[in-house]
C-alpha cells in the first residue's frame, strides 16, 4: 500500500472521518449567502465581458484597447476558472437552479463540457497524480513524474511546455483524445475522430465569435477587436496553465504508481489527494482569479463544495494534517511556479527520482 | 392548491435571424442569460416579477405575478410550475392559476395556502416580497372547461382547491357566461375561507350562482342559508343540489374528498360527469423513513427492483442488469446524476434526504428510503 509510511490503516480511517465531518458541516451550512456569491460572481463576469467588448470597439484609442483587453481577459479567466470549472464540478448543484447546474453548463473554452466532466471530474479527481491514469500528469506530452519512463523525445520538453502554456485550452481539449493510446491501438480511430469532431465544432463556434463576428461588428476597427480577443484568449491560456500546473507539481508534490495505490479506502483516497495537491498563497482577489484553485488541496478533498468556502476550510484542514503529522504543501506563487518549472526541465532528462518525496524519504 | 407533479418548462420559440446572431455572439450562453444577470428586473422568458401580495384568509395569500416575455397565457383551471429560492435552494411546485385568462393586463395570480411543514408555501405566503422574481414553467393541465359550456355546472372545492375553480368562475363572469352554477366550498372556519368574500360578492351579482359553504371546525351558529357546520360528504348532494346527476362537475381538493366523490358518482353511473384535479401532498418525513426494503422503479428502462436503505441506487441498478452512466462511484464527480421522479432517497455520506420530484441526485451515494422512482 502506497503512502503507508504516513498513516497506519486505523489512522487513515480516523483522518478520513475527520475530513468527512468538515465536509458534512460545510455542506449543511450552505445557504442564501453562498447563492448570492455565485450569482454576484456571474454578474460581475458578464458585466466585465460586456464592458470589455464594448471598450474594444473604441480600440483605435490605445487606452480603450488596453482597458478592453484587460477586462475581457479577466472576464474570460473568471468564466473558466471561478465559474465554469466550479459549476461543472457540481459545486452549485445544491441550489437546484437549472441555469447554474453541472448538468447544463457549457463554457467558453475548446474542451466540450461533457468531455471535460469525464476527463477532469472523474479521471483526474478520482485518480489524481497516478501515473498512467490521471492524464493531467503531463497531458500526454510531458514527463511530469520520475515514474514515467524517459524517452528521447522528452528532451524537447521545455519547448512542448511553452507551447502547451500558450495554447493551453487546445491542449486540454486534445489531451482527452489520447493520441498515444490510439497509436498503441488501445483506443479506436473512430472514437478519436468522433471526439475531434466535437472539439472542432466547439472551437469553430468559439473562433467564429471571437475572430469573425465581433471583429466584423466593429467594421473598420476589425483588427483592434480581433487582436484584443486574441490577446485575451492568450492571457487566459497562460494564467490557467500556470495555476493548474502549480496545483500538482511543485516541489514536494507526490505522484503515484498505479500498482501502489490498489484498492483504496476513503481515508487513503483523502491522503493521496492531500499528498498530490499544492496550495498557492495569496490575497482574496488572487484566490478568486485562480478559481480558488489556489486552495487546490481543499478542492481535491472536496471537489463539489462551493469554492467560496475553501478559504475558511483551509485552516481547519491544515490543523487536521498537522495533528496527523502530514505534509501540507503551500507556498508563494513564485515558489510553486518556480519549482514546477524546474520539474519540467529536470524530467526532460533521464532519472529525477530525487523529485519524489517518498523515494527521498525511503532512501 | 399545489401539486408535486412537474409540468414542462417554457419551450423555446423559433429563433429569428437577429436572435441567431445574438446567440452566436453570446455563445455558449444565451442573450437571455446576460439580460437575466445584468438586468435582474427585466422580464425574460421563464421569470415573473412579484407585483402584489394580498392576504386571502388568515394563512393564504394571492400573489400577482407579471407575465414573463413570451408567455402564452393559460386556460382557466390550469396550473403552472413555480420555482422560488428558499435559503439559496430553488424549489419548484405547481400552483393553479387563480385569475382569469381574460384579465388582460399582462399579469396573473396564484393563491397559496401556507401548509404547516411546507417550506415553499410558507415562504411564498410569509417571506415573499414585492419585486422578488419567481421562475415559471408553462401553464398546463386538463382541468379546464370545455369550449361548449354545459348548461348547468356543479363545482366542489375544499381549502386551496378553490383556486382553479376561481379562475373558471372569473373567466365565465368576464365572458358573461356565468349561468347556473352550484358551488360547494369548505374551510375550517368562516373567516378562513379562501376567496370567501370574493365568492360572496360574485353570488350577489349573479343570481345563477348558488353557494354552499361548509365550516369543518365551526361550532357556532350559521346565520345564512347555504352555510353548514361540519364536513361535506357526497351523500349530501341529493339535498344540496338535487339535480347533481345531470350536472357537469369539477372538483378540486384533498384526496379523501375526491375519492369520496368518485365513488359516489360511479355508484350513480355518472362517473363521466366528474372532472377532478388531484392534490398530491408531500410525503411527511418519517412516513416511510424506516422501511428496510424499498421498491425501486427505474423509469426509463422500465425495470423494477427491490432495494434497501444501505445499497446505493447505482449498485442496485447494476445488480438489476442496467448499466447507468457513472464515474468515480464515490460521490465526487457528479457523473451519475439522475432525476428523482418520486419518493425519497438518502445521501449515504451525510444522511441528507432528497424528496422532491425533479431533484437531481447522485445515484452512486444515494439509497432509497421507501419506494422510489428514478429516471434511469
Ligand atoms: S459516480 Fe461519481 S458522483 Fe456518482
Amino acid at each position: 500500500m502506497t503512502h503507508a509510511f504516513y498513516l497506519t490503516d486505523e489512522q487513515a480511517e480516523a483522518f478520513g472521518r475527520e475530513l468527512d465531518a468538515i465536509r458534512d458541516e460545510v455542506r449543511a451550512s450552505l445557504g442564501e449567502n453562498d447563492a448570492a456569491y455565485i450569482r454576484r460572481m456571474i454578474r460581475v463576469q458578464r458585466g466585465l465581458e460586456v464592458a470589455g467588448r464594448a471598450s474594444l470597439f473604441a480600440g483605435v484609442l490605445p487606452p480603450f484597447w488596453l482597458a478592453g483587453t484587460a477586462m475581457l481577459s479577466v472576464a474570460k479567466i473568471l468564466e473558466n476558472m471561478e465559474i465554469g470549472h466550479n459549476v461543472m464540478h457540481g459545486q452549485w448543484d445544491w441550489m437546484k437552479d437549472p441555469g447554474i447546474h453541472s448538468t447544463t453548463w457549457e463554457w467558453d473554452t475548446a474542451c466540450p463540457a461533457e468531455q471535460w466532466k469525464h476527463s477532469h471530474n472523474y479521471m483526474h479527481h478520482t485518480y489524481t497524480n497516478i501515473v498512467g491514469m490521471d492524464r493531467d500528469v503531463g497531458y500526454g506530452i510531458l514527463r511530469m513524474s520520475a515514474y514515467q519512463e524517459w524517452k528521447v523525445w522528452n528532451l524537447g520538453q521545455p519547448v512542448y511546455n511553452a507551447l502547451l502554456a500558450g495554447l493551453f485550452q487546445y491542449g486540454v481539449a486534445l489531451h482527452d483524445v489520447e493520441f498515444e493510446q490510439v497509436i498503441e491501438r488501445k483506443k479506436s480511430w473512430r472514437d478519436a475522430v468522433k471526439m475531434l469532431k466535437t472539439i472542432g465544432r466547439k472551437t469553430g463556434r468559439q473562433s467564429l465569435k471571437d475572430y469573425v463576428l465581433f471583429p466584423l461588428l466593429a467594421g473598420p476597427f476589425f483588427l483592434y477587436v480581433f487582436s484584443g480577443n486574441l490577446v485575451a484568449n492568450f492571457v487566459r491560456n497562460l494564467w490557467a496553465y500556470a495555476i493548474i500546473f502549480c496545483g500538482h507539481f511543485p516541489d514536494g508534490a507526490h505522484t503515484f504508481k498505479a500498482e501502489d495505490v490498489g484498492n483504496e479506502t476513503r481515508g487513503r483516497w483523502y491522503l493521496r489527494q492531500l499528498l498530490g495537491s499544492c496550495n498557492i498563497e495569496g490575497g482574496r482577489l488572487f484566490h478568486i482569479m485562480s478559481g480558488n484553485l489556489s486552495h487546490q488541496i481543499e478542492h481535491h478533498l472536496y471537489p463539489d463544495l462551493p469554492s467560496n468556502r475553501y478559504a475558511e476550510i483551509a485552516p481547519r484542514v491544515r490543523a487536521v494534517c498537522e495533528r496527523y503529522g502530514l505534509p501540507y504543501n503551500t507556498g508563494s506563487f513564485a515558489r510553486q511556479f518556480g519549482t514546477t518549472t524546474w520539474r519540467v526541465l529536470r524530467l526532460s532528462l533521464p532519472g529525477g527520482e530525487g523529485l519524489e518525496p517518498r523515494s527521498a524519504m525511503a532512501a | 392548491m399545489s401539486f408535486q407533479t412537474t409540468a414542462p418548462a417554457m419551450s423555446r420559440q423559433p429563433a429569428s435571424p437577429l436572435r441567431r446572431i445574438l446567440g452566436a455572439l453570446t455563445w455558449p450562453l444565451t442573450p437571455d442569460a446576460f439580460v437575466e444577470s445584468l438586468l435582474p428586473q427585466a422580464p425574460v422568458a421563464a421569470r415573473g416579477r412579484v407585483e402584489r401580495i394580498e392576504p386571502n384568509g388568515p394563512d393564504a395569500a394571492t400573489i400577482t405575478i407579471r407575465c414573463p416575455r413570451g408567455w402564452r397565457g393559460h386556460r382557466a383551471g390550469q396550473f403552472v410550475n413555480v420555482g422560488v429560492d428558499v435559503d439559496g435552494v430553488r424549489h419548484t411546485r405547481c400552483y393553479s392559476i387563480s385569475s382569469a385568462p381574460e384579465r388582460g393586463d399582462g399579469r396573473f395570480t396564484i393563491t397559496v395556502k401556507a401548509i404547516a411543514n411546507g417550506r415553499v408555501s410558507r415562504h411564498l405566503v410569509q417571506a415573499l416580497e414585492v419585486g422578488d422574481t419567481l421562475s415559471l414553467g408553462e401553464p398546463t393541465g386538463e382541468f379546464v372547461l370545455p369550449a361548449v359550456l354545459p348548461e348547468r355546472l356543479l363545482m366542489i372545492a375544499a381549502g386551496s382547491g378553490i383556486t382553479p375553480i376561481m379562475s373558471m368562475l372569473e373567466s365565465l363572469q368576464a365572458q358573461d357566461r356565468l349561468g347556473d352554477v352550484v358551488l360547494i366550498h369548505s374551510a375550517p372556519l368562516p373567516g378562513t375561507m379562501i376567496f370567501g368574500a370574493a365568492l360572496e360578492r360574485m353570488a350577489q351579482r349573479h343570481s345563477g350562482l348558488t353557494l354552499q359553504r361548509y365550516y369543518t371546525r365551526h361550532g357556532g351558529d350559521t346565520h345564512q342559508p347555504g352555510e353548514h357546520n361540519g364536513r361535506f360528504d357526497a351523500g349530501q348532494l341529493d339535498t344540496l343540489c338535487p339535480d347533481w346527476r345531470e350536472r357537469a362537475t369539477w372538483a378540486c381538493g384533498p384526496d379523501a374528498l375526491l375519492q369520496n366523490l368518485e365513488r359516489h358518482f360511479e355508484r350513480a353511473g355518472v362517473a363521466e360527469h366528474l372532472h377532478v384535479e388531484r392534490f398530491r401532498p408531500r410525503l411527511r418525513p418519517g412516513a416511510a423513513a424506516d422501511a428496510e426494503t424499498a421498491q425501486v422503479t427505474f423509469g426509463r428502462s422500465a425495470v423494477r427492483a427491490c432495494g434497501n436503505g444501505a445499497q446505493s441506487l447505482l449498485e442496485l441498478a447494476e445488480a438489476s442488469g442496467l448499466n447507468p452512466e457513472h464515474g468515480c462511484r464515490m460521490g465526487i464527480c457528479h457523473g451519475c446524476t439522475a432525476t428523482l421522479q418520486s419518493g425519497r432517497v438518502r445521501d449515504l455520506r451525510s444522511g441528507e434526504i432528497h424528496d422532491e420530484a425533479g431533484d437531481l441526485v447522485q445515484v452512486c451515494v444515494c439509497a432509497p428510503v421507501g419506494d422510489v422512482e428514478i429516471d434511469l
Side-chain angles (χ1 to χ4, degrees):
Chain A
M1 171 63 68
T2 186
H3 36 279
F5 50 84
Y6 280 113
L7 297 177
T8 66
D9 284 349
E10 293 80 64
Q11 283 171 332
E13 288 332 285
F15 175 66
R17 276 196 300 276
E18 290 202 38
L19 292 182
D20 276 341
I22 295 178
R23 179 190 191 279
D24 291 347
E25 196 188 310
V26 174
R27 177 68 188 81
S29 72
L30 297 178
E32 223 166 311
N33 291 338
D34 302 276
Y37 171 84
I38 189 64
R39 293 216 170 89
R40 193 166 59 237
M41 189 54 64
I42 290 174
R43 186 157 62 241
V44 167
Q45 186 274 325
R46 289 177 190 169
L48 275 171
E49 180 165 349
V50 170
R53 291 194 188 276
S55 176
L56 277 175
F57 283 147
V60 62
L61 306 167
F64 281 93
W65 188 89
L66 277 174
T69 305
M71 284 191 279
L72 190 58
S73 303
V74 172
K76 279 177 172 274
I77 285 171
L78 289 176
E79 194 267 352
N80 271 195
M81 302 187 72
E82 179 63 348
I83 302 171
H85 164 262
N86 293 336
V87 170
M88 284 189 295
H89 260 298
Q91 294 185 2
W92 302 99
D93 283 7
W94 59 273
M95 288 168 32
K96 299 187 196 170
D97 180 341
I100 311 180
H101 201 279
S102 65
T103 53
T104 56
W105 197 269
E106 185 55 90
W107 58 343
D108 175 36
T109 183
C111 186
E114 275 314 311
Q115 187 183 317
W116 169 263
K117 282 186 278 188
H118 174 81
S119 68
H120 179 82
N121 293 5
Y122 170 33
M123 299 305 281
H124 167 61
H125 273 270
T126 312
Y127 305 115
T128 310
N129 275 25
I130 302 176
V131 171
M133 297 179 84
D134 174 5
R135 300 188 48 78
D136 283 26
V137 181
Y139 290 76
I141 53 171
L142 300 179
R143 180 168 179 254
M144 293 304 290
S145 162
Y147 302 143
Q148 283 165 297
E149 201 188 325
W150 183 84
K151 306 245 176 68
V152 176
W153 52 269
N154 289 129
L155 284 171
Q157 189 146 294
V159 179
Y160 317 147
N161 183 50
L163 286 173
L164 178 63
L167 299 168
F168 193 58
Q169 60 166 328
Y170 304 107
V172 166
L174 292 177
H175 91 289
D176 278 359
V177 183
E178 306 179 307
F179 289 110
E180 77 291 345
Q181 303 266 355
V182 178
I183 291 164
E184 289 171 27
R185 292 175 189 280
K186 287 186 192 146
K187 184 172 174 171
S188 77
W189 268 108
R190 188 177 318 157
D191 286 349
V193 168
K194 218 164 95 193
M195 273 180 124
L196 282 173
K197 275 193 186 150
T198 329
I199 297 169
R201 257 198 307 276
K202 192 162 178 209
T203 313
R205 301 200 69 163
Q206 256 186 300
S207 311
L208 180 73
K209 172 176 80 165
D210 278 346
Y211 302 133
V212 181
L213 289 180
F214 272 110
L216 277 181
L217 218 59
F221 306 125
F222 184 97
L223 273 184
Y224 297 98
V225 172
F226 180 91
S227 58
N229 292 353
L230 187 73
V231 170
N233 282 327
F234 181 66
V235 168
R236 180 181 60 191
N237 280 346
L238 289 185
W239 179 252
Y241 159 85
I243 295 296
I244 287 162
F245 267 64
C246 284
H248 299 290
F249 305 109
D251 184 38
H254 295 56
T255 57
F256 308 92
K257 292 190 243 182
E259 60 266 32
D260 288 346
V261 175
N263 226 345
E264 254 173 354
T265 60
R266 183 153 180 91
R268 294 235 177 251
W269 178 82
Y270 270 134
L271 178 57
R272 180 164 51 80
Q273 297 303 326
L274 169 72
L275 297 176
S277 308
C278 310
N279 285 3
I280 314 169
E281 284 155 9
R284 195 175 134 76
L285 198 62
F286 175 79
H287 290 313
I288 291 176
M289 289 300 289
S290 77
N292 275 298
L293 292 182
S294 46
H295 299 297
Q296 189 77 240
I297 294 176
E298 288 69 30
H299 175 54
H300 264 265
L301 298 175
Y302 311 116
D304 63 353
L305 282 186
S307 58
N308 63 324
R309 294 297 192 99
Y310 289 154
E312 95 193 27
I313 299 173
R316 300 180 61 185
V317 168
R318 195 170 181 169
V320 173
C321 294
E322 257 158 37
R323 270 194 287 113
Y324 284 81
L326 296 171
Y328 183 94
N329 192 329
T330 180
S332 67
F333 180 68
R335 189 258 177 200
Q336 304 298 57
F337 190 69
T339 56
T340 297
T341 308
W342 166 244
R343 180 189 287 256
V344 173
L345 299 178
R346 172 64 191 84
L347 289 178
S348 64
L349 301 172
E353 282 78 16
L355 290 173
E356 274 307 319
R358 193 145 59 87
S359 33
M361 286 175 74
Chain B
M1 152 101 202
S2 75
F3 315 81
Q4 279 273 304
T5 50
T6 42
M10 297 240 329
S11 56
R12 297 247 175 90
Q13 294 158 336
S16 65
L18 177 66
R19 281 190 76 78
R20 296 214 3 212
I21 293 176
L22 281 174
L25 289 172
T26 51
W27 188 86
L29 297 168
T30 58
D32 272 357
F34 278 86
V35 175
E36 208 169 308
S37 38
L38 296 178
L39 307 167
Q41 297 288 333
V44 297
R47 197 172 63 176
R49 181 177 188 272
V50 174
E51 307 244 296
R52 220 179 134 156
I53 305 162
E54 302 154 275
N56 191 331
D59 45 24
T62 292
I63 300 164
T64 306
I65 300 165
R66 187 159 80 200
C67 301
R69 204 182 61 210
W71 183 252
R72 288 207 228 129
H74 73 285
R75 294 174 66 191
Q78 287 190 312
F79 62 88
V80 63
N81 250 353
V82 177
V84 60
D85 291 346
V86 185
D87 293 331
V89 181
R90 174 81 43 94
H91 295 272
T92 305
R93 297 283 185 279
C94 301
Y95 286 100
S96 296
I97 295 176
S98 54
S99 57
E102 290 78 9
R103 187 180 161 120
D105 63 349
R107 285 161 181 76
F108 68 92
T109 64
I110 56 172
T111 301
V112 181
K113 185 178 172 203
I115 316 167
N117 287 319
R119 236 183 329 216
V120 178
S121 63
R122 287 191 25 189
H123 180 88
L124 288 174
V125 174
Q126 292 157 7
L128 196 71
E129 285 174 19
V130 169
D132 287 356
T133 51
L134 301 172
S135 69
L136 299 169
E138 269 185 12
T140 32
E142 300 303 315
F143 189 68
V144 290
L145 294 172
V148 181
L149 208 58
E151 232 168 277
R152 286 170 292 168
L153 304 177
L154 170 59
M155 294 180 158
I156 304 170
S160 59
I162 188 67
T163 49
I165 290 174
M166 196 63 199
S167 174
M168 291 175 177
L169 292 174
E170 295 261 18
S171 172
L172 291 175
Q173 179 174 272
Q175 297 172 34
D176 248 339
R177 296 209 293 166
L178 186 52
D180 181 353
V181 180
V182 175
L183 171 65
I184 303 169
H185 186 13
S186 302
L189 296 166
T192 67
M193 182 164 275
I194 296 176
F195 286 119
L199 287 167
E200 209 167 316
R201 278 197 303 276
M202 201 184 274
Q204 275 160 14
R205 250 175 307 168
H206 299 272
S207 54
L209 176 62
T210 315
L211 289 186
Q212 299 287 353
R213 284 168 288 185
Y214 278 80
Y215 305 119
T216 53
R217 287 203 214 122
H218 191 46
D221 288 341
T222 45
H223 307 289
Q224 298 189 34
E227 289 192 304
H228 317 268
N229 283 350
R231 195 169 290 280
F232 163 75
D233 180 273
Q236 293 151 351
L237 281 174
D238 282 333
T239 35
L240 289 176
C241 178
D243 62 348
W244 65 273
R245 286 177 190 78
E246 283 102 62
R247 286 180 183 252
T249 304
W250 276 262
C252 179
D255 209 41
L257 169 70
L258 300 183
Q259 279 180 18
N260 177 249
L261 286 168
E262 277 168 341
R263 273 195 304 270
H264 198 72
F265 274 66
E266 211 158 292
R267 268 199 302 262
V270 288
E272 72 280 4
H273 289 184
L274 179 65
H275 310 268
V276 300
E277 184 77 312
R278 221 159 258 293
F279 199 97
R280 282 223 227 146
R282 280 169 67 91
L283 267 181
R284 282 282 142 67
D290 314 313
E292 294 266 295
T293 57
Q295 274 297 327
V296 178
T297 309
F298 298 104
R300 200 182 313 164
S301 29
V303 169
R304 283 164 153 274
C306 194
N308 62 54
Q311 188 187 27
S312 77
L313 287 164
L314 179 61
E315 285 165 350
L316 182 66
E318 288 173 339
S320 317
L322 306 183
N323 187 15
E325 252 180 70
H326 65 275
C328 66
R329 306 185 73 96
M330 58 185 298
I332 60 154
C333 77
H334 291 246
C336 62
T337 320
T339 310
L340 181 67
Q341 289 166 318
S342 69
R344 322 169 68 213
V345 300
R346 191 167 61 93
D347 188 318
L348 292 167
R349 297 168 298 175
S350 58
E352 191 185 344
I353 294 282
H354 301 276
D355 59 359
E356 286 183 17
D359 274 359
L360 289 166
V361 298
Q362 293 165 275
V363 293
C364 70
V365 288
C366 282
V369 181
D371 296 353
V372 160
E373 188 176 349
I374 190 137
D375 187 29
L376 278 181

